[in-house]
Amino acid sequence: MKLKKLALVLTGALVSLALVGCGGGDQAKQDAKVLRVGAAVDFAPFEFQDEGQKEYQGFDMDLIRAVAKEMGSEAEIQNIGFDGLIPALQAKNIDVIISGMTINDERKQKVNFSDPYYQSGLTMIVRSDEEAIKSFKDLKGHKVAVQIGTTSANMVKEMEGVTVTELNTPADCFMELKARGVDAVVNDRPVNDYYINQTQAVGVKSLADKLSAEDYGIAMAKDNADLQKKVNEALKKLHENGEYDKIYQKWFGASK
Ligand code: GLN
């Protein structure tokens, strides 16, 4: 009986030690200050992964690493589907979203946004042999692919007489266009431009007509005003010290 008790006490002590050990690990992680970032990593040149490259790349990825550094933290980036990003933030699985996310009123009900960090907008890609679609007003009677949960999806669904296919990524949309499943893809202008200019996008062209002008922001939980302040301060610093410009030039080849 006595021995049994001793064994129990010893086991208890070991369990406690193990728990302290884990606690220590968590503490160390907290000390290193990790900024948990969510991004839908299929949105070149903002967030993407090149074959054979471990690190996520792109304008957003460089910017958020610089923001984190400015805040004395390190960015830990998780790849999450675009429509899962705000839920992940609300569930506190991540601290911030940077994912070419447009600041709009609907999202502002759910998240806090940083100051705008990039001016974007929506354009359209069609097949090179497309004759009927020259601008957005020609979309009536046509099939259009958009990425699920995006501003493109919202806007195209409002258009009368347009059949909308919602897919997970812009890459899926472009594939659907080439496969002639749809007649056009509506998507963010810089992503369309990158697709046309930087990749082997054969048989498709982008149109000049713009559907809207949009600003990208970094999103944070509504109850974390302190983080919003820190992120805005970091962004301001990066504008002042030229770091933002450096990152901008790296990805867009011109100064802002
Ligand atoms: N800017 C668009 C939006 O916020 C698309 C973003 C994205 O697909 N990553 O809806």
Side-chain angles (χ1 to χ4, degrees):
M1 189 68 183
K2 245 189 180 169
L3 258 181
K4 237 185 189 173
K5 211 171 184 184
L6 184 66
L8 270 178
V9 169
L10 271 176
T11 318
L14 279 176
V15 167
S16 312
L17 266 177
L19 284 176
V20 167
C22 287
D26 280 352
Q27 194 56 48
K29 219 173 177 186
Q30 252 176 34
D31 289 343
K33 286 220 260 166
V34 169
L35 183 72
R36 298 170 308 162
V37 179
V41 187
D42 201 336
F43 204 62
F46 293 94
E47 38 271 325
F48 62 103
Q49 193 170 26
D50 257 353
E51 252 174 77
Q53 289 259 1
K54 243 182 92 203
E55 295 256 296
Y56 294 143
Q57 297 189 62
F59 177 80
D60 283 353
M61 303 293 90
D62 285 349
L63 186 64
I64 202 65
R65 287 185 186 115
V67 164
K69 200 168 162 206
E70 217 29 81
M71 288 164 49
S73 311
E74 205 186 317
E76 197 179 85
I77 300 160
Q78 295 176 41
N79 184 10
I80 299 170
F82 191 75
D83 58 339
L85 285 168
I86 289 180
L89 192 66
Q90 289 174 322
K92 300 268 191 277
N93 293 334
I94 50 174
D95 303 310
V96 301
I97 298 168
I98 188 161
S99 199
M101 185 172 273
T102 300
I103 301 172
N104 65 20
D105 287 342
E106 190 193 329
R107 290 177 183 150
K108 272 197 207 160
Q109 315 266 313
K110 299 180 193 154
V111 300
N112 281 341
F113 279 106
S114 70
D115 293 334
Y117 70 85
Y118 184 91
Q119 283 180 343
S120 189
L122 304 179
T123 59
M124 158 167 71
I125 290 187
V126 294
R127 282 182 296 274
S128 306
D129 59 6
E130 180 63 60
E131 301 268 305
I133 306 170
K134 294 204 163 57
S135 69
F136 280 97
K137 64 173 173 24
D138 302 325
L139 283 180
K140 199 170 174 177
H142 288 279
K143 292 185 199 152
V144 179
V146 290
Q147 186 186 4
I148 196 162
T150 59
T151 46
S152 295
N154 285 348
M155 294 198 75
V156 176
K157 280 196 276 188
E158 301 257 293
M159 291 178 187
E160 218 183 294
V162 174
T163 310
V164 187
T165 304
E166 293 181 84
L167 300 170
N168 281 325
T169 65
D172 291 343
C173 295
F174 298 142
M175 246 160 36
E176 193 63 10
L177 177 69
K178 285 188 177 180
R180 310 190 92 86
V182 292
D183 309 310
V185 172
V186 176
N187 186 37
D188 293 37
R189 172 189 43 78
V191 176
N192 285 344
D193 289 351
Y194 188 88
Y195 173 64
I196 295 288
N197 299 328
Q198 307 292 324
T199 69
Q200 279 86 43
V202 185
V204 290
K205 61 183 178 191
S206 78
L207 300 179
D209 196 19
K210 289 192 180 69
L211 185 60
S212 68
E214 304 183 356
D215 281 331
Y216 292 166
I218 300 168
M220 289 144 288
K222 269 234 160 283
D223 58 5
N224 207 345
D226 184 50
L227 182 61
Q228 185 188 30
K229 204 174 139 228
K230 284 189 182 137
V231 166
N232 278 337
E233 276 167 10
L235 278 176
K236 196 163 165 253
K237 210 48 182 300
L238 297 173
H239 276 289
E240 283 164 6
N241 68 15
E243 190 64 27
Y244 177 94
D245 257 357
K246 245 196 240 162
I247 299 173
Y248 193 95
Q249 274 184 36
K250 175 177 166 188
W251 292 104
F252 302 106
S255 196
K256 227 202 125 209

